[in-house]
Structure formats: structure tokens, C-alpha cells
Amino acid sequence: MALMGRMMSEPLLISALLKHAERHAGETEIVSKRVEGDVHRSNWREVAQRSRQAAQAFARLGCEAGDRVGTLAWNGYRHLEIYYGASGSGLVCHTINPRLFPEQIVWIANDAEDRVLCFDATFLPLIEKLAPLMKTVRHFVMMTSRAHMPASTAIPNLLCFDDLLAAETGDYAWPALDENAASSICYTSGTTGNPKGAVYSHRSTVLHAYAAALPDAMDCSSRDVVLPVVPMFHVNAWGLPYSAAIVGCKLVMPGPHLDGKSLYELFESEQVSFSAGVPTVWLGLLNHVKANDLKFSSFKRTVIGGAACPPAMMKTLQDDYGIEVIHAWGMTEMSPLGTLSKLTTRQLGLPPEQQQRLLEKQGRAICGVDMAIIDDEGRSLPWDGQNSGNLVVRGHWVISQYFKNESSPLVSVDGEPGWFPTGDVATIDADGFMQITDRSKDVIKSGGEWISSIDLENIAMAHPAVNEAAVIAAKHPKWDERPLLVVVLKPGASVTRDELLAFYDGRIAKWQIPDDVVFVAEIPHTATGKVQKLKLRDQFLAHRLPTA
Amino acid sequence: MALMGRMMSEPLLISALLKHAERHAGETEIVSKRVEGDVHRSNWREVAQRSRQAAQAFARLGCEAGDRVGTLAWNGYRHLEIYYGASGSGLVCHTINPRLFPEQIVWIANDAEDRVLCFDATFLPLIEKLAPLMKTVRHFVMMTSRAHMPASTAIPNLLCFDDLLAAETGDYAWPALDENAASSICYTSGTTGNPKGAVYSHRSTVLHAYAAALPDAMDCSSRDVVLPVVPMFHVNAWGLPYSAAIVGCKLVMPGPHLDGKSLYELFESEQVSFSAGVPTVWLGLLNHVKANDLKFSSFKRTVIGGAACPPAMMKTLQDDYGIEVIHAWGMTEMSPLGTLSKLTTRQLGLPPEQQQRLLEKQGRAICGVDMAIIDDEGRSLPWDGQNSGNLVVRGHWVISQYFKNESSPLVSVDGEPGWFPTGDVATIDADGFMQITDRSKDVIKSGGEWISSIDLENIAMAHPAVNEAAVIAAKHPKWDERPLLVVVLKPGASVTRDELLAFYDGRIAKWQIPDDVVFVAEIPHTATGKVQKLKLRDQFLAHRLPTA
């Protein structure tokens, strides 16, 4: 008979992280640039106190265990207090992406059955329009102080967040919840169909937060000043609000001010050492820094994910600004971190170009996540850096089902069930370094061979005249599909179609070079900053490729 | 009704750590200095393969879920394979401290009801004597190859570890155990009474391993070369065999060769970056390095725990050799890590002397461990760095009970039950930095006031002539107890009683200065390297303090 351990039995709870931060980093600052434009200074002790007040306030509003508290908000201390106040007290924090179309926002709030909706002042006009359509919301709470409340509004009984908190004592003991209870919900904004909800648990969130802070992952310590550029409505800002509490570091919240100039000023004034975000944000920041011949005085490393970081951007950050770039990959269904690219001792002995090529991959799985690549029949493929297949994952912080959807999205690998199909196509090398070669639906199928759109985009992005590039499949009478390069030029730059195509010579196999180039003023993005390839494909459906 | 998360439900298992290391760091080396004196090179892939073979071998020997596999062994790859092979397959790895008295070893093996006992060749003569007394052991396994097996032995049917493994395929799937099942047992070698067993679970071990690798704790990454000087029979080498698998780093195992010269050579030849051990080991290493005017070429940081690190040793390591010293505190009952001393951003802005004083404390609790200091009535005392009280802890990797002992050792804090009393007396400051002021039984009670023996020892250790110092309570007719300083001089050094006592002037309050000094050739240590104060007290029971 199995012998059981004789250890204390404590659930893994989000509230424990906040308690730890309050006790061991009580005076460590939480700095927020507010919607109003001013800078607000708080610390972990105050955030903990106000989170307990928020828990009491939600209870007073009639919220019961498992009820959803929706948020429509930027990164800021009040959002953080709702994260902990709601989840910690047994409610479910449901972050909604305000960049979605209004009808999607309504659909998501109704699907999640949000009981309370908290929103930043920015979104008052939007919520005034949408409130009547949100059938389950009983209380609308504006995340501001009394002084900033509107004199009149179309929202009946609009509540003021700071007032709600002021009415409570904060004398509140976090409940001992089931660690598998839901803590938060985040909807994926799929490019097709309705959004789907990922429902995280306290256990999955806490385990993810520990693993994400490890030296081979985000490497967060109490000596860091962390600025999450990635929004708190994007998979919980990649878990940083939780990892930051575990290590008790200073947090700098940018609010809605994500332009290059605002970010740079915040980086410098608060001496930010570490940040995380999608490539497009760094594009804006780098443009500002370059244009004004500025340097960073404290910024040391950044995790870039959400989309592949163009190698040219990685090189600029590393070589011109001395910033370590940690390439990461994950998804909403994975809480989100899956892999990060950090070199091992052995790899640090390789020639610089080989090291660079490894850093451009998405990296190794964090301990807690398993990966496999499989063919269309579910057979696992070798880890040789050559074979590419459908990437599947499993682990402590991977979903098993979507919210309100009893069908299982999971697949089998070599007959073993329980793997989540990511929809990405990837290679994995012998050291476990994974590289996304494409989204399975973005691969260009040319005469039976697969061409990675990402490879072609990265090459175009390395051209000095190119600001952004996307490669899509265009119909071809002979080859079925051929790559078409869509390009946005840098302000003031110019380049011809033929010069751009010649730029591919020697950088990739001849048969993979795009057949044509289209210059556009803008490439369409999803609400989460990803290129909308489906939209691009629709747009250029009628594009006639030149015949050789 | 609470909403449940929709996450994959995977148990936290030790086998998962090894699988991760095999997949992502398969070629990363495990280097072991063997009992025979030669150096053996393996890697995580081979260790994983041989661990599966070990699991098969234990099953073939008739071991069933929950059975204990005892080890009497130094740090080495075979010991690592038993760690994973036994625990991973549902058995319980029971590490026995070979430095204990033989009768204690027998008592412990019988109390744990070890089914198999694996031992290094070093211990053959010992086991030949003890085998008949070990009532529950069915198989004795010598951890060596066929070539090193004895021609004849008093142990009936002595098995050879390498032979057992060679008979197995390694084609073995780790079972999906209950994460709360026992994974390993470690007995505390108390200074009084019989040893008591701490029974760790898979869950507690895995959570401890994640937290221990965090940047604010041991800061382990794949770029590290880790040499655990702390033995694998001391609380699982402070969890390093598990943390190392999580991060996939190179491990260097010193075997029995813990003298300064052997260690130094291994540090240099394997380019060790990180090590961990008790202060006495560093004493030997530093003596060797100093005597031969050597430098370290790769050694960057060390965790020192098990006993307070004398500030003078900390200063030498930091200032003379550029090695970061991370002071740590824990105990067998805590898996063992409780606190580590790493400065926060704010503290790094303090004057150097204040930083040094913080580093000399035992530090902040890792997230996952809560602390409190309480008075004798169980009331919590303020965290002001002044009030000292009985230190109590709780958390994911703290025991709730000893093995085979149904009575609970736990106490209440302010009426809240569930805290483990550490037996240490400590202060905690406003930043959560804990400092052990004494073992509760070592405090010197002088006229109603408490004097910390540790403070007095640290001052003595700073004197250039002193090699080791211990302070004990001596009976005093007026004050009840007064401090008596017991000193071992450095080879060739000399100092008088009065010179030593004068050394305290200005370093501590006058009334706390020891009343007398005794010079000895050696101070008695426990098997785990701690000063046996009880023995010292017995020895100097009759010592007559000079009357002022």
C-alpha cells in the first residue's frame, strides 16, 4: 500500500502570493500611469489592503463563489486589486479585451455571465452603449475616484470603485478555496468563429507563476523593476502580476500609454529593468528611441512573444541597445507560457551565429509543459530540427476544455490521449529547442511542398526599407499556391518590387522566393496585435501573380 | 456554486522532472568523482535511462508501492539514479546519514522498515557488521560495478547495482502516482532522543524544487554547473538533485572527497559556477586555497546554510574571492529551505555596511513558506528586527507530523493552529528579513536577560587566531548562567584569554562579554556538522568561572 507523505496540506492559492508580497515586499512600489495621465504610486502593502477591501465590496454587491467579475481595463493598480480581490475571494476575474469589436465584447460578457463589470474611465462611452445589451451584469463599476465620476451617465446606478473600497475595512481573511476552483477566464480572439473561454484555476495560475519566474524563463527577482507592456487583458499579462508577487518586485503599469514616447519616459523615470510584450510594441518604442537618438539607462532584458520576433528587431535590441531578448511562445490556452529561448552552458560555447539562430527559435519548454510534434495521423515526429509537424502540448497550465463546451479539444500522440493541439506547425531540435514554422492555416502549399510564411516575412523585415511584412498564399494555376509578399514601407523609404525580391537571393531556396510584392499603407491586425492573414487573403484574392 | 477550472489535471511528480531533463538537457553532463577516486561522466539522458532500469530492478526484487529503499551513499550518479528510480516508481527513497553512530543507523533502518539497502563500497565493512541487525532489509545492494564487488563477504546474497541495472531494458513508463504519496524519508539527527523521520511527498518535493531554483533563492539555471557539497543524505542535498533536473543544468558530484584540495580541483576541472554546503566545508576549502595562493576561475556564488555562516568567512569569500554568499536557513522538517538572504532593489541602495548586515541575516522566506515569531504563550511578536521570539513556520514543504508518530508537533499562533515550531529563536525585521539569534536551548539566560551564543561566536570567529568558536552557558552563582567561550586556535596561532576577551570590547554590550575562555584542540560536532553544544556543556559542567 502506498505510503503517504506527512506534509502540511495547503492549497495553491492566488491569495497566498499576495500575502507573501505584502509580508516580504510591503514597501515595494506599484507605480501606475493612470488614464488621466498622472502617475500614481502605491506598494504591495496598499494593494493587499485594497484587494481585501475589493473582496469585501464584491461580497456586499451580492457576488457569490464562482461569480464572474468582468474587467475592461488597462494595466494599473486598480486592475491588480480586482485580480487579487476577485480571485482571492473565490470569484472569477474575467478580463475582457477592450480592443475587440463592441459586439464581441457584449457576446463575451454574456457568455461568461459576468455579474459585475469594472471598467476604466476610457471606456465609459463604450459601456454606456453596451450596458443595455449585457444581460447578466447587475453592477457597473467605474475604476476611478469620486472626483472623476461623470456628472451624468446613461448607465443606471453606476458605481465608483474607490467609493466601494472606502466603505470597507479590509479586515478580511482570504478563504481556503479548492485549488482547482476557477480563478480567472480569458477568451481567445479566434480569427474565425466565436471567441472561446479558457478557465484557469488557482493551482494552474500559481504553478505557472512559479515556473515563469525561473532563471531560464522570465528570470524575475526582487531586484527587478518590471513593466508589463503586455496588457492584463492578454492572458493575465503573461502571468506577471502573479510572478511579481512571488518575487516581490516593483511593478510599473503603463495604463493606456503604450506609444514609444510614453513608454520610454516611463522606462527611464522608473528605472525599469525588465519588460514583456508583443513585437509591434517594441517597434514603436525603437522608432522613438532611434528618431531621438536616445539610450536606455536601466532596461536590461525583455521577453517577446505573442508573435515571432523578427530577427532584425532582435538584433537591434541586442546589438544597438544591449538588451537581452528572450523569445517566448505560448497561447491563451497555456496561461500562456510554453517555451522560452535561453541558451544552455553548452550552447554558449557555439559560434555567435549559431547562438543567434537558436535565440531566434521559440526555445525550450519550461518544466511543467511537455511538447510533441505529430503528423496528420497523430504519429510523433523526431526531434531533429528538420521534421516539422503539428505542435501539441500538455501540462499543469494547459486547458483541457473550453468554457461551456463539453467536447474535448484534445488529441492523441502515438495513441496516448490528452494533448492540446496548438494549431502551430513547428520543428524541435535534439536539445528541445522548438521553432514555429507557421500557423497550420498560414502555410503556403506550393506544388505539394510547404513554404513557411514566417521565414519569408523575417527576410523581408530585415530589409532596411521595410516596416512590416506579411506573406500569404496566392492562388496559382500550376502550383496551386505561391507566396505573395505584402509590405508596409518605413516613412520616407523606397524600394522596388524587383529589389525586394532580389533581397531573397541567397537567403532562402530559390523556389521559396515570393512570386510578387504588394505595397500597402497598412496591414490589418487583430485586437491582440496579430496580422489578420485571413483578411489579407480575402483582400488579395483576385491578385494575379506574374507568370514566369 | 464554485466554478471549477478547466485545466489539465496532472499530479506533481518527481518523475516528471527527470523526464523534462532527459528531453531538454539530455546531453548535459552529470560528473561524479567516485569512491574509487576516478571521475565518471554521464548525462541526464543516461541517468534517466538507468533510473528506469533501477525502477525495474527494484520491482524485480519484489518492492511494492510505498516500500522503503534505504541508501548509505555519497553524492554520485548511482545515488541520483536511486533517487529517481525509487521515488519515481512509487517507492520511498530513504537516505541514511553514514556519519551517524552505527547503532543509530540500525535503529533508523529498522524504524523506516527499509526493504532494500543500497550502499557505496566505502561502507561495505560497516554494513557487514550491521546487516544482521537490520531486520526488515531483504536485499543488500552495493552501488558499484561487477569489477569492484568483493570476492567474499559476510553479507549473504550481496547484489551488485550495475548488474541489477544491466538485467533491465529501461523500457518503463513512470506511473501516475498520487502527488501526496511519500517520495522520500530523511531522519533528523536530534541531539537528544531517537532520530525522527520527515516523510516528504512528491508534491512537497516538486514545489520545493521549483521555489528553490528561483532567482531570489538558489538562482539555478541551465547555464549553471552545480556542485552540491551538501550530501544527498542531508535533506536530499537541499533539493538540488530535483532543482537541477527542472533547469537541466550540469551536476558535479564530489563523492566522499570533501577535503579542500579535492574540492578545489573538481571546482576548477569542471568549471563549477554554484555550490552549496555548511560553513565547515568552506573552511576547509578556503584554508586550502589560501595556503596555496589559488584563485577560482568559475565559482561565482554559494548558498551557505545548516549553521550560521560566520561573518568573517562570508567577507573572505566575497571580498577576497568575489564569490556571492547567499545565507540560507532551513531544516530537515522543511525540505529544507525556508529563508535566503538576497537583497531587494531598495536594499541595494543602502550603505555597504547596512547591506552586509542584512546579508548576514538568514533572509526572507521563499514564497511558499510563512513565518512568525511568537512568545511562550503563542502570541505573535512584531516584525521590527528587535523583538526575538520562537520561530514557527508553515507551508507546502513543511512537515505536519513525524513518521510513525501520531501526535502533532504543531502549535498555534494567536489561536490559529498549524504552525511548526522550529526550535530556533529569531528576530524578523520590517522587510521580512529573519535572523536566528539562537537555538532556544542554546540561549544563555543571564540574570533574566537572554544572551545570544551565536553573536558571541561570530565575534570570536572574526579574531585572526581563532579557527572555531562555541559559546555555552556555564553555571554562575549570582547570574544563574554566564557565557563561556570555547576556542580552537588556527595552526600556529596564539592568543591569550585576556586578549580574546578584550577583542569583544566595543563589539557588544559589556554585560554580554563571556566570563571566561577555554582553549581546546577540537570542538565536538554532530554527524551533520553542527556543534554539539549539549556535549560541550556536559564537558564543561564543572568549569568554574572566575569571580569578578
Side-chain angles (χ1 to χ4, degrees):
Chain A
M1 204 192 62
L3 180 73
M4 301 310 285
R6 298 281 194 278
M7 308 303 289
M8 289 187 183
S9 156
E10 294 197 346
L12 291 159
L13 295 180
I14 285 174
S15 57
L17 310 186
L18 184 64
K19 277 198 272 187
H20 179 81
E22 183 182 18
R23 284 186 158 204
H24 295 93
E27 302 301 313
T28 302
E29 283 187 304
I30 311 291
V31 179
S32 306
K33 189 138 184 196
R34 287 197 275 208
V35 171
E36 295 82 7
D38 65 338
V39 169
H40 175 267
R41 309 192 87 82
S42 175
N43 59 33
W44 282 108
R45 188 173 43 70
E46 282 176 37
V47 165
Q49 163 68 11
R50 282 173 53 98
S51 297
R52 289 190 296 265
Q53 288 171 302
Q56 291 176 312
F58 291 134
R60 194 181 295 271
L61 292 177
C63 289
E64 290 173 1
D67 279 356
R68 271 71 80 193
V69 174
T71 67
L72 213 71
W74 306 107
N75 294 6
Y77 66 104
R78 291 189 184 100
H79 206 173
L80 192 63
E81 290 155 8
I82 296 169
Y83 261 51
Y84 282 103
S87 302
S89 65
L91 309 177
V92 181
C93 181
H94 170 215
T95 51
I96 307 177
N97 184 346
R99 292 175 183 150
L100 295 174
F101 293 114
E103 52 269 36
Q104 281 182 306
I105 292 176
V106 169
W107 189 93
I108 287 176
N110 285 333
D111 189 64
E113 301 172 44
D114 290 336
R115 191 62 44 125
V116 175
L117 186 75
C118 305
F119 59 92
D120 269 339
T122 321
F123 305 113
L124 178 63
L126 179 69
I127 299 298
E128 283 181 326
K129 264 184 241 142
L130 305 185
L133 306 170
M134 295 179 162
K135 302 299 182 196
T136 61
V137 176
R138 292 197 196 147
H139 304 283
F140 290 91
V141 180
M142 197 160 127
M143 294 160 63
T144 190
S145 62
R146 174 53 48 192
H148 291 92
M149 289 296 283
S152 71
T153 170
I155 304 172
N157 303 318
L158 178 65
L159 299 169
C160 166
F161 185 72
D162 282 5
D163 278 2
L164 289 180
L165 266 54
E168 307 296 342
T169 61
D171 185 7
Y172 175 85
W174 299 109
L177 307 167
D178 183 332
E179 68 181 26
N180 291 307
S183 61
S184 28
I185 299 187
C186 189
Y187 278 75
T188 60
S189 47
T191 43
T192 55
N194 279 323
K196 287 175 290 208
V199 188
Y200 312 119
S201 68
H202 283 263
R203 175 179 165 111
S204 71
T205 302
V206 170
L207 290 176
H208 178 271
Y210 270 105
L214 287 174
D216 281 303
M218 299 220 197
D219 194 17
C220 289
S221 83
S222 58
R223 285 161 303 291
D224 273 311
V225 178
V226 178
L227 189 150
V229 175
V230 50
M232 292 170 75
F233 52 77
H234 277 184
V235 213
N236 298 325
W238 301 352
L240 281 171
Y242 306 115
S243 294
I246 284 181
V247 307
C249 64
K250 174 174 169 180
L251 267 179
V252 182
M253 302 294 217
H257 312 282
L258 300 177
D259 60 290
K261 180 169 183 293
S262 300
L263 277 182
Y264 177 78
E265 288 170 0
L266 207 51
F267 270 73
E268 288 303 305
S269 63
E270 300 301 330
Q271 291 289 290
V272 171
S273 64
F274 171 64
S275 187
V278 296
T280 41
V281 174
W282 304 127
L283 203 61
L285 183 60
L286 281 176
N287 284 345
H288 173 75
V289 172
K290 268 188 231 169
N292 296 280
D293 201 19
L294 301 167
K295 293 272 165 212
F296 293 101
S297 65
S298 58
F299 189 18
K300 290 204 178 55
R301 67 189 197 288
T302 177
V303 166
I304 297 188
C309 180
M313 181 190 289
M314 197 180 278
K315 247 184 121 48
T316 302
L317 282 164
Q318 289 167 336
D319 298 351
D320 300 354
Y321 296 97
I323 296 166
E324 182 192 6
V325 175
I326 304 154
H327 211 188
W329 169 85
M331 54 197 305
T332 304
E333 290 87 341
M334 299 179 69
S335 306
L337 286 179
T339 66
L340 294 107
S341 200
K342 284 247 200 164
L343 302 185
T344 63
T345 303
R346 197 183 54 74
Q347 291 167 336
L348 288 171
L350 296 172
E353 319 80 57
Q354 284 186 43
Q355 290 190 31
Q356 191 60 33
R357 236 167 299 148
L358 283 169
L359 289 174
E360 289 168 9
K361 295 189 175 196
Q362 273 71 23
R364 284 174 295 144
I366 323 177
C367 189
V369 170
D370 273 354
M371 302 185 294
I373 42 176
I374 56 174
D375 64 18
D376 289 341
E377 279 72 47
R379 284 177 300 236
S380 64
L381 298 169
W383 288 23
D384 58 7
Q386 300 298 323
N387 271 278
S388 85
N390 299 304
L391 181 65
V392 297
V393 294
R394 66 177 177 190
H396 300 295
W397 47 86
V398 180
I399 68 159
S400 60
Q401 270 184 331
Y402 290 101
F403 188 44
K404 290 187 171 178
N405 188 335
E406 293 313 308
S407 72
S408 172
L410 306 188
V411 299
S412 291
V413 174
D414 297 330
E416 183 195 35
W419 295 79
F420 182 83
T422 65
D424 280 321
V425 174
T427 61
I428 307 179
D429 70 17
D431 292 319
F433 271 67
M434 186 271 286
Q435 182 161 32
I436 302 284
T437 53
D438 224 329
R439 288 294 293 172
S440 44
K441 59 187 187 310
D442 294 337
V443 167
I444 295 137
K445 288 162 186 165
S446 168
E449 295 288 341
W450 288 18
I451 301 174
S452 158
S453 63
I454 293 173
D455 286 351
L456 300 182
E457 286 160 8
N458 283 339
I459 294 172
M461 289 292 284
H463 190 287
V466 173
N467 205 31
E468 194 173 10
V471 171
I472 55 171
K475 287 286 159 207
H476 190 281
K478 182 175 174 193
W479 302 110
D480 190 25
E481 292 181 359
R482 287 295 301 161
L484 171 66
L485 172 62
V486 184
V487 157
V488 180
L489 292 183
K490 284 188 182 152
S494 74
V495 66
T496 67
R497 168 193 180 278
D498 292 347
E499 284 166 356
L500 262 183
L501 293 183
F503 191 66
Y504 280 90
D505 281 340
R507 290 187 162 87
I508 203 157
K510 265 227 154 359
W511 64 273
Q512 299 191 338
I513 296 177
D515 280 26
D516 205 2
V517 182
V518 185
F519 294 91
V520 296
E522 199 179 11
I523 285 177
H525 291 94
T526 67
T528 60
K530 290 175 188 171
V531 171
Q532 285 188 300
K533 293 218 173 159
L534 204 65
K535 203 164 179 180
L536 263 190
R537 274 199 291 269
D538 286 349
Q539 196 176 339
F540 294 103
L541 204 61
H543 184 82
R544 290 191 45 182
L545 293 174
T547 44
Chain B
M1 205 191 64
L3 180 73
M4 299 311 284
R6 297 281 194 280
M7 308 303 288
M8 290 188 183
S9 158
E10 294 197 346
L12 291 160
L13 295 180
I14 284 173
S15 56
L17 311 186
L18 184 64
K19 278 199 272 187
H20 179 81
E22 182 182 18
R23 285 187 156 202
H24 297 91
E27 302 301 313
T28 301
E29 284 187 305
I30 311 290
V31 178
S32 306
K33 188 137 187 199
R34 287 197 275 209
V35 170
E36 296 80 10
D38 65 338
V39 168
H40 175 268
R41 310 193 86 82
S42 176
N43 59 33
W44 282 107
R45 189 174 42 69
E46 283 176 37
V47 165
Q49 165 66 12
R50 284 172 52 97
S51 296
R52 289 188 297 265
Q53 289 170 301
Q56 291 175 313
F58 292 134
R60 194 180 295 271
L61 291 178
C63 290
E64 291 173 0
D67 278 356
R68 269 73 78 193
V69 174
T71 67
L72 212 69
W74 306 107
N75 294 7
Y77 67 104
R78 292 190 183 98
H79 205 173
L80 192 63
E81 290 155 8
I82 296 168
Y83 261 51
Y84 283 103
S87 302
S89 65
L91 309 177
V92 182
C93 180
H94 170 214
T95 51
I96 307 177
N97 184 345
R99 293 176 183 149
L100 295 174
F101 292 113
E103 52 269 35
Q104 281 182 307
I105 293 176
V106 170
W107 189 92
I108 287 175
N110 285 334
D111 189 64
E113 300 171 45
D114 291 336
R115 190 63 44 126
V116 175
L117 186 75
C118 305
F119 60 93
D120 270 338
T122 321
F123 305 114
L124 179 62
L126 178 68
I127 300 297
E128 284 182 324
K129 262 184 245 145
L130 305 185
L133 306 170
M134 295 178 164
K135 304 297 183 198
T136 61
V137 176
R138 294 197 197 144
H139 305 282
F140 290 90
V141 181
M142 197 158 126
M143 295 160 64
T144 191
S145 62
R146 173 53 49 192
H148 290 92
M149 289 294 284
S152 73
T153 169
I155 304 171
N157 302 317
L158 178 64
L159 300 168
C160 165
F161 186 71
D162 282 5
D163 278 1
L164 290 179
L165 265 54
E168 308 295 343
T169 61
D171 185 9
Y172 175 86
W174 298 109
L177 307 168
D178 182 332
E179 68 181 26
N180 291 307
S183 62
S184 27
I185 299 187
C186 190
Y187 278 75
T188 59
S189 47
T191 42
T192 54
N194 279 322
K196 287 176 289 205
V199 188
Y200 311 119
S201 68
H202 283 263
R203 175 179 164 113
S204 71
T205 303
V206 170
L207 290 176
H208 178 271
Y210 271 106
L214 287 174
D216 281 303
M218 298 222 197
D219 194 18
C220 288
S221 84
S222 57
R223 286 160 303 290
D224 272 311
V225 178
V226 178
L227 189 149
V229 175
V230 51
M232 292 171 76
F233 53 77
H234 276 184
V235 212
N236 298 322
W238 301 352
L240 281 170
Y242 306 115
S243 294
I246 285 182
V247 307
C249 65
K250 174 174 169 181
L251 267 180
V252 182
M253 302 294 217
H257 313 281
L258 299 177
D259 61 289
K261 181 168 183 293
S262 301
L263 277 181
Y264 177 78
E265 287 169 3
L266 206 52
F267 270 74
E268 287 304 304
S269 63
E270 300 300 332
Q271 290 289 290
V272 171
S273 64
F274 171 63
S275 187
V278 295
T280 42
V281 175
W282 304 126
L283 203 62
L285 182 61
L286 281 177
N287 283 345
H288 173 74
V289 172
K290 266 189 234 170
N292 297 280
D293 201 18
L294 301 167
K295 293 270 166 214
F296 293 101
S297 67
S298 58
F299 188 20
K300 290 204 176 57
R301 67 188 197 290
T302 178
V303 166
I304 298 188
C309 180
M313 180 190 290
M314 197 179 277
K315 243 182 126 49
T316 302
L317 282 162
Q318 290 168 336
D319 298 350
D320 299 354
Y321 296 97
I323 296 166
E324 183 193 5
V325 175
I326 305 153
H327 210 188
W329 170 85
M331 53 199 304
T332 304
E333 289 87 341
M334 299 179 70
S335 306
L337 286 179
T339 65
L340 294 106
S341 199
K342 285 245 199 165
L343 302 185
T344 64
T345 304
R346 195 183 56 72
Q347 291 166 335
L348 288 170
L350 296 172
E353 319 80 58
Q354 284 185 43
Q355 290 190 32
Q356 192 58 35
R357 234 165 299 149
L358 283 168
L359 289 173
E360 290 169 9
K361 296 188 176 195
Q362 273 71 20
R364 284 173 298 143
I366 323 176
C367 190
V369 170
D370 274 353
M371 302 184 295
I373 42 175
I374 56 175
D375 63 18
D376 289 340
E377 279 72 47
R379 284 177 301 234
S380 64
L381 298 170
W383 288 22
D384 57 8
Q386 300 298 324
N387 271 279
S388 86
N390 300 304
L391 181 65
V392 297
V393 294
R394 64 177 179 192
H396 300 295
W397 47 87
V398 180
I399 68 159
S400 60
Q401 269 182 336
Y402 290 100
F403 188 44
K404 292 186 170 180
N405 188 335
E406 293 314 308
S407 72
S408 170
L410 307 187
V411 299
S412 291
V413 173
D414 297 330
E416 183 193 37
W419 294 79
F420 181 82
T422 64
D424 279 322
V425 174
T427 62
I428 307 179
D429 70 17
D431 291 318
F433 271 65
M434 185 272 287
Q435 182 161 30
I436 302 283
T437 52
D438 224 326
R439 290 294 293 172
S440 44
K441 59 189 186 309
D442 293 338
V443 168
I444 294 137
K445 289 164 186 162
S446 168
E449 295 287 340
W450 287 16
I451 301 174
S452 158
S453 63
I454 293 173
D455 286 351
L456 299 183
E457 286 160 9
N458 283 340
I459 293 171
M461 289 293 283
H463 190 285
V466 172
N467 206 31
E468 194 174 10
V471 171
I472 54 171
K475 287 287 161 206
H476 190 280
K478 180 173 173 192
W479 303 110
D480 190 25
E481 291 180 0
R482 286 296 300 163
L484 170 66
L485 171 62
V486 184
V487 157
V488 180
L489 292 183
K490 284 188 183 153
S494 74
V495 65
T496 66
R497 168 193 180 278
D498 292 347
E499 282 165 356
L500 262 183
L501 293 183
F503 190 66
Y504 280 90
D505 282 339
R507 289 186 164 88
I508 203 157
K510 265 228 154 2
W511 64 272
Q512 299 191 338
I513 297 177
D515 280 25
D516 205 0
V517 181
V518 184
F519 296 91
V520 294
E522 200 179 10
I523 285 177
H525 291 93
T526 67
T528 60
K530 290 175 187 169
V531 171
Q532 286 187 300
K533 293 218 174 162
L534 204 63
K535 202 164 178 181
L536 263 190
R537 275 199 290 268
D538 286 348
Q539 196 175 337
F540 295 102
L541 205 61
H543 184 83
R544 287 187 52 176
L545 294 174
T547 42

